[in-house]
Amino acid sequence: MARKIIIIADPGIDGAFAIAMALHDPTLECLGLAATAGNVPAEQATRNIQILVDQIDPPRRPRFGAAPPVEYDRDGTNLHGPNGLGGLSFLSAHLHHVHPSDKLILDLVRQYPKEITIIALGPLTALASALDRDAELPSLVDRLVCVGGTWREPGNASAAAEFHFYCDPVAARQVLHCGAPITLLPLDATRKLLFSPTDLLDLPVADSPTCNFLRLLVPFGIGATSSLYGIEGFHLKDVLGIVAVTLPEALTLRPTVVDVETRGQLTRGMSVMDVRWGCTAKPNVDLAVGVDVQAVRDYMERILRRTAR
């Protein structure tokens, strides 16, 4: 039986790859795509999830959730393009009366109690809002998978903080302490998914609409990664959020106590991992400390080959 999932996303380039994996993987049933601001503003994030589904054209279309109208003081447009999708324009029908993301999450979790894994690929504002609206949510989900935080690696939004946690550290802290089973995928793990320009431009199916769409996005990301970081290629960090559900054996997990700094002038959004010997606090997350990168690559190729006409 397919695993039921909800994806919360601020779709940029790596988010597009992750959503494509989820929508074509027969072991997953993506019930909902809940938009959140992050890489792009809220309205653009909502538009992007609609564009992705239109371009990918999956066998089954998920329900959409509109991003909460929040503004962060950072975005990812310098890496993902002014619209998050490589700066390219795509036609997409404008959907009216889309439920807010937090309501979508609650509606689906109530419909399928204890069956849904929520995969958060962006800031945790929408998920925290859902927790505010329904205190029973942690007991109704199967698991939360969160792409966010950093363990030993430096941050990518500041010296101390990963982008998703930096955008809304209060929401990140609330989610990590909500009591649900949580898999946390920090930068230490997601940065291992660095793909070369050849990998990204030579996707395995030549005539696949999904592969053709993804190929259009990556040149901007490759150029931006080289310019901003001096790195050749592009990190498909969000794909690891899908892998955590579909290929959990590719991850090495460690039960860990994790908290988030919410107010520090220099450390806002910093994830604090308590790995002291003899620490008596109960771990609140399963932290990804290792990744079988080849297994992830093989998984991606296998799913992308399913997109052939």
Side-chain angles (χ1 to χ4, degrees):
M1 181 180 294
R3 292 278 299 274
K4 294 179 174 62
I5 62 169
I6 299 169
I7 297 175
I8 304 173
D10 56 338
I13 297 168
D14 59 327
F17 273 81
I19 290 170
M21 295 297 110
L23 294 180
H24 283 297
D25 189 327
T27 70
L28 295 178
E29 182 182 0
C30 184
L31 300 173
L33 281 177
T36 181
N39 284 323
V40 291
E43 185 176 348
Q44 185 68 55
T46 302
R47 187 176 301 118
N48 282 3
I49 63 170
Q50 298 174 22
I51 290 170
L52 289 176
V53 173
D54 285 346
Q55 293 294 318
I56 293 168
D57 192 22
R60 180 180 298 178
R61 296 173 71 91
R63 292 172 58 186
F64 295 139
V70 61
E71 294 184 9
Y72 304 127
D73 62 5
R74 296 284 179 89
D75 63 39
T77 55
N78 59 344
L79 182 62
H80 297 276
N83 66 346
L85 299 178
L88 302 174
S89 296
F90 298 96
L91 295 177
S92 179
H94 180 70
L95 299 183
H96 299 279
H97 310 301
V98 178
H99 286 311
S101 285
D102 57 348
K103 185 178 189 306
L104 173 69
I105 292 167
L106 293 176
D107 287 350
L108 289 172
V109 168
R110 283 289 182 184
Q111 185 177 354
Y112 301 101
K114 301 186 184 299
E115 295 185 41
I116 293 176
T117 297
I118 298 176
I119 305 173
L121 306 179
L124 294 170
T125 306
L127 185 51
S129 179
L131 290 169
D132 288 337
R133 292 179 60 163
D134 190 342
E136 294 184 357
L137 177 61
S139 65
L140 294 174
V141 298
D142 179 48
R143 176 166 287 269
L144 306 178
V145 175
C146 300
V147 174
T150 183
W151 177 27
R152 293 171 173 169
E153 287 274 313
N156 59 354
S158 71
E162 180 271 337
F163 177 73
H164 295 162
F165 280 19
Y166 180 90
C167 284
D168 194 341
V170 174
R173 189 170 199 265
Q174 180 181 356
V175 170
L176 293 189
H177 288 282
C178 75
I182 298 174
T183 299
L184 184 63
L185 308 173
L187 280 176
D188 309 68
T190 59
R191 276 179 171 155
K192 294 184 185 301
L193 298 190
L194 176 63
F195 288 75
S196 73
T198 301
D199 294 331
L200 297 166
L201 295 170
D202 190 22
L203 296 177
V205 183
D207 63 347
S208 157
T210 295
C211 288
N212 287 335
F213 169 64
L214 295 175
R215 284 190 199 98
L216 293 175
L217 306 183
V218 295
F220 187 99
I222 292 168
T225 300
S226 176
S227 175
L228 293 169
Y229 306 119
I231 296 173
E232 184 178 8
F234 191 80
H235 293 96
L236 297 181
K237 296 190 288 289
D238 283 354
V239 170
L240 204 62
I242 308 304
V243 167
V245 179
T246 60
L247 199 69
E249 62 271 21
L251 300 178
T252 302
L253 302 176
R254 176 187 295 180
T256 306
V257 178
V258 182
D259 211 329
V260 182
E261 174 58 62
T262 60
R263 294 180 297 176
Q265 184 175 0
L266 300 178
T267 57
R268 166 189 164 183
M270 178 180 179
S271 42
V272 181
M273 315 284 183
D274 193 342
V275 293
R276 295 172 297 165
W277 178 259
C279 173
T280 58
K282 182 180 178 180
N284 58 326
V285 308
D286 292 315
L287 179 70
V289 297
V291 180
D292 183 341
V293 175
Q294 188 57 53
V296 175
R297 287 175 173 269
D298 292 344
Y299 165 75
M300 289 184 63
E301 178 163 353
R302 186 167 67 251
I303 297 303
L304 287 175
R305 288 194 179 279
R306 293 184 60 86
T307 69
R309 291 181 186 274

